[in-house]
Amino acid sequence: MADSVTDRFLRYVVIDTQSDAKSPTQPSTMKQKDLGRLLVEELLAIGVSDAHLDEHGYVYGTIPATTTKNNVPVVCFTAHMDTAPDFSGTGVKPQIVKNYQGGDIRLVGDQTQVIRVSEHSVLKDLIGHDIVTSDGTTLLGADDKAGIAEIMSAAEFLINNPDIKHGAIRILFTTDEEIGRGVDKVDLAKLGADFGYTLDGETAGTIEDETFSADAVEIDIRGVAIHPGFAYGKMENAIRIAGAIIDRLPKDLAPETTRGRDGFIHPTGISGVMERANLSFIIRDFTEQGLKTKEALLEKITREVLAAYPGSSFTFTVKEQYRNMKAVLDRHPEIVDYAVEAIRRAGMEPVRGSIRGGTDGSRLSFMGLPCPNIFAGGHAFHSPLEFVSSQDMEKAVKTVVELAKLWEERA
């Protein structure tokens, strides 16, 4: 299975599927459909007869049940097709370090890009593995094309081995996950699943049942514009106001200074002219109260800064993005328990974790499809240092197969 899943992965990562938050369409970039069409072709070829691409770029398909039991829940396995806008995904040139023997990995396309053991300690556990990287000039796309390749390989394995008893399995590949719209247009009635698993995590053996809760904040500032030659005592420069707000942000509430269960306030965009400026933020915390506290602090800072500019004004807009899926998953403990057992059966020691981010599963859980996150094996997401082990991808394939078997056994 390692060769099969790696071959698939290498085929998928060279297709540019970056999403674009500025685009109003779904999918945000039509090139995501290029991968979707290929996946439909491959699903049809392996025997997923209902595989199709819808108008929003989603890929749906069904692996029919092989069990005679009529009470086996319908499980969905899902991954996202888009890659992050944070770093270029155009012209990906995957490289394979065969039988990795330790040490730093210098990337061939940009010699300044080095995957260092001191920064990625997981490399110590990958001795003897085949490690796939980019050439250093683009991201790789393991987030989440590793998950797609794993689901595809598991689907082919199950279809080719009908003696393995399992219930009906739904496949869902989404668009625009990286910009927070991954499941905006998912048709849950058509999907017809009882619960799901995203394959969108990192280290092999990890099952995650908790995510950040997330909001976005937009601050629009209206200043006072006037000719700079006549500005004394009159001009209130919106750009300076925006800079003052950024300068007042607590240094210990930034992504680069927080870890574990600490949340943060993160400015993601700034634009403006003398008269008007805009600040974009994402707010993250594991609790609803933590979000509200950080948003109140950000608004307080804004009011305090604006107090020195009596002719200026601002608007402060909060938009909910997603919520911690643990609130839903705790009501269905067997979903995570079975994943833990499947990981153990696939030869790993399970590790339960929390995600300092979100997945499609965050929103799916609150839409009525409880959906924890399983490892896909990738590391250093959203950067040119991204890498994944072929052997870890194989372990993810085995985990999916074991999960399918477990739900049938225990029905």
Side-chain angles (χ1 to χ4, degrees):
M1 282 189 288
D3 288 340
S4 173
V5 71
T6 301
D7 288 345
R8 289 185 184 280
F9 177 68
L10 295 175
R11 208 156 51 236
Y12 304 155
V13 296
V14 298
I15 301 173
D16 184 2
T17 58
Q18 277 188 301
S19 46
D20 180 5
K22 296 178 181 178
S23 167
T25 62
Q26 180 87 19
S28 63
T29 54
M30 291 302 110
K31 58 189 177 182
Q32 293 179 65
K33 287 188 173 183
D34 294 340
L35 178 56
R37 282 186 282 268
L38 173 63
L39 294 172
V40 169
E41 288 177 12
E42 293 189 2
L43 285 168
L44 292 171
I46 66 175
V48 179
S49 59
D50 66 343
H52 65 282
L53 180 75
D54 77 359
E55 68 271 27
H56 307 298
Y58 298 134
V59 174
Y60 294 84
T62 306
I63 303 172
T66 56
T67 182
T68 56
K69 296 180 181 178
N70 58 13
N71 63 335
V72 182
V74 177
V75 59
C76 170
F77 291 102
T78 179
H80 64 89
M81 294 182 283
D82 65 316
T83 58
D86 306 52
F87 203 87
S88 174
T90 303
V92 174
K93 300 179 181 66
Q95 312 291 313
I96 303 180
V97 180
K98 292 277 191 181
N99 191 22
Y100 170 68
Q101 290 300 301
D104 297 343
I105 302 173
R106 190 174 298 276
L107 302 181
V108 297
D110 181 351
Q111 294 286 310
T112 68
Q113 301 288 357
V114 183
I115 306 172
R116 301 186 189 279
V117 177
S118 60
E119 297 170 359
H120 305 278
S121 59
V122 70
L123 286 170
K124 297 174 183 176
D125 300 322
L126 302 182
I127 303 299
H129 287 221
D130 299 328
I131 297 177
V132 188
T133 74
S134 77
D135 70 345
T137 63
T138 68
L139 47 69
L140 175 62
D143 179 15
D144 188 24
K145 291 170 184 172
I148 292 173
E150 291 152 6
I151 293 169
M152 292 289 290
S153 293
E156 183 172 29
F157 183 82
L158 289 171
I159 289 171
N160 288 343
N161 292 273
D163 54 311
I164 296 175
K165 301 302 180 187
H166 60 81
I169 295 170
R170 303 282 192 252
I171 294 169
L172 173 66
F173 298 132
T174 63
T175 57
D176 291 338
E177 189 268 358
E178 296 289 4
I179 58 172
R181 305 182 208 158
V183 296
D184 279 4
K185 305 291 186 179
V186 169
D187 187 339
L188 286 183
K190 178 169 78 172
L191 189 65
D194 296 300
F195 59 85
Y197 295 94
T198 50
L199 271 77
D200 194 16
E202 292 188 89
T203 305
T206 302
I207 170 72
E208 295 158 323
D209 62 351
E210 185 173 28
T211 61
F212 269 148
S213 287
D215 284 343
V217 172
E218 295 287 330
I219 302 175
D220 283 301
I221 302 161
R222 182 64 66 90
V224 179
I226 193 168
H227 189 290
F230 305 93
Y232 183 80
K234 299 174 183 177
M235 179 188 289
E236 296 183 5
N237 191 326
I239 299 172
R240 289 189 178 277
I241 296 170
I245 293 169
I246 296 294
D247 188 58
R248 289 279 303 275
L249 294 176
K251 302 297 189 290
D252 61 350
L253 284 181
E256 60 267 32
T257 60
T258 53
R259 59 184 178 179
R261 295 188 60 79
D262 299 326
F264 54 73
I265 300 172
H266 180 40
T268 58
I270 181 169
S271 62
V273 293
M274 187 193 317
E275 181 184 13
R276 192 162 191 170
N278 173 267
L279 290 168
S280 300
F281 295 84
I282 59 172
I283 314 295
R284 299 291 188 264
D285 201 279
F286 283 102
T287 69
E288 189 91 10
Q289 184 56 50
L291 281 183
K292 301 307 176 190
T293 299
K294 290 174 177 61
E295 289 157 7
L297 173 60
L298 181 57
E299 187 168 13
K300 178 174 180 286
I301 289 170
T302 305
R303 290 189 183 282
E304 289 174 353
V305 169
L306 266 291
Y309 298 89
S312 300
S313 61
F314 75 95
T315 60
F316 190 93
T317 306
V318 179
K319 180 181 179 182
E320 180 176 318
Q321 294 183 312
Y322 56 84
R323 288 296 179 261
N324 188 342
M325 61 185 176
K326 190 171 179 62
V328 174
L329 292 172
D330 278 352
R331 300 198 293 267
H332 307 276
E334 70 281 4
I335 298 174
V336 174
D337 291 345
Y338 287 10
V340 168
E341 176 61 20
I343 289 169
R344 187 171 285 117
R345 289 188 183 187
M348 293 161 283
E349 185 59 36
V351 177
R352 293 182 67 158
S354 301
I355 308 171
R356 287 180 58 81
T359 69
D360 280 339
S362 305
R363 289 188 53 209
L364 285 172
S365 292
F366 285 92
M367 290 166 63
L369 188 75
C371 192
N373 190 43
I374 296 173
F375 73 93
H379 302 276
F381 293 158
H382 300 196
S383 84
L385 303 180
E386 194 177 9
F387 63 95
V388 65
S389 153
S390 291
Q391 286 76 7
D392 284 353
M393 286 195 288
E394 179 184 357
K395 291 173 185 174
V397 176
K398 291 178 180 176
T399 299
V400 171
V401 171
E402 291 299 331
L403 259 173
K405 292 160 63 176
L406 260 169
W407 280 98
E408 194 277 340
E409 289 172 18
R410 299 187 179 178

